[in-house]
């Protein structure tokens, strides 16, 4: 029987198109939950571990035009497997709230819907890499294509092009990513919270707090 006073972790992921503001919102939610006395671990995919950061550089370097769709797929899951074992599982077992910037839903929509890889293959790799670990809550910050492209462009102008390989994909690619996200949210309404990302940072943060407070 499980111990009723044992801490229970909660695995919450943030998803959305490039430029939707999820990284900022993740930090704001982490700060809010810490103020409420929760232990919070923040992580990111790809790149939440030292090995993951090395994989991230390969994945997002715009010079790596030769990378094949299956290679890309396996590298995303390689980073994720490391993060699950090294950071996410141990933190959940210790009772922390784990906030992860992207997870397998990103692979389903970017490599599945965007690149046209078979969703069943993505699910198979997820079973190997994540060993059954699934987010309890996923906050999808939804923005339209124009907002996504203009914010990603501004970010690349400000911070350089070192991570722009996926941003450089066509508008059709990004449109299929958005459709894929909305379809996932519709198919799993109990897990997904969909928030309109076009409002101000403060308004979006308040909506996320309200939506997750009874879950976390
Ligand atoms: P980020 O800039 O939000 O950290 O995401 C990095 C890029 O990697 C972003 O363009 C989405 C892409 N990506 C995938 O294509 N598949 C994945 O599984 C993940 C996690 C990210």
């Amino acid at each position: 029987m499980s111990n009723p006073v044992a801490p229970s972790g909660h695995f919450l992921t943030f998803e959305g198109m490039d430029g939707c503001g999820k990284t900022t919102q993740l930090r704001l939610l982490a700060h809010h939950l810490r103020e409420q006395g929760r232990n919070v671990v923040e992580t990111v995919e790809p790149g939440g571990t030292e090995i993951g950061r090395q994989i991230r550089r390969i994945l997002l370097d715009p010079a790596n035009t030769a990378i094949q769709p299956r290679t890309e797929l396996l590298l995303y899951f390689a980073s994720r497997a490391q993060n699950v074992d090294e950071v996410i599982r141990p933190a959940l077992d210790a009772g922390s709230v784990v906030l992860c910037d992207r997870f397998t839903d990103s692979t389903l929509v970017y490599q599945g819907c965007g690149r046209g890889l078979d969703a069943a293959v993505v699910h198979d790799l997820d079973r190997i890499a994540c060993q059954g670990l699934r987010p309890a809550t996923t906050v999808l910050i939804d923005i339209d294509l124009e907002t996504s492209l203009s914010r990603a462009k501004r970010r690349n102008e400000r911070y350089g092009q070192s991570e722009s390989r996926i941003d450089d994909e066509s508008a059709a690619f990004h449109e299929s990513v958005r459709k894929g996200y909305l379809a996932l949210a519709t198919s799993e309404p109990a897990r997904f919270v969909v928030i309109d990302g076009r409002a101000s940072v403060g308004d979006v943060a308040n909506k996320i707090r309200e939506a997750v407070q009874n879950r976390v």
Side-chain angles (χ1 to χ4, degrees), residues 18 22 44-46 56 60 76 80 101-103 106-107 110-111 155 163 166-167:
D18 298 287
K22 63 188 166 38
V44 59
E45 273 304 305
R56 182 180 174 99
L60 301 183
Y76 278 115
R80 196 161 305 142
D101 190 340
R102 298 194 182 281
F103 204 65
S106 283
T107 319
Y110 282 86
Q111 280 64 52
R155 187 193 56 193
E163 291 204 339
I166 307 277
D167 301 345

Side-chain angles (χ1 to χ4, degrees), residues 42 79 95 133 136 149 169 185:
E42 296 168 58
S79 169
L133 177 67
L149 294 179
E169 287 293 339

Side-chain angles (χ1 to χ4, degrees), residues 2 9 11 13 22 35 40 54 60 62 71 78 83 121 127 140 145 151-152 184 205:
S2 67
F11 184 31
T13 56
K22 63 188 166 38
E35 279 190 331
V40 180
Q54 295 181 43
L60 301 183
T71 312
N83 203 354
V121 174
R127 269 191 290 281
L140 170 59
L145 183 63
R151 286 186 188 171
L184 278 180

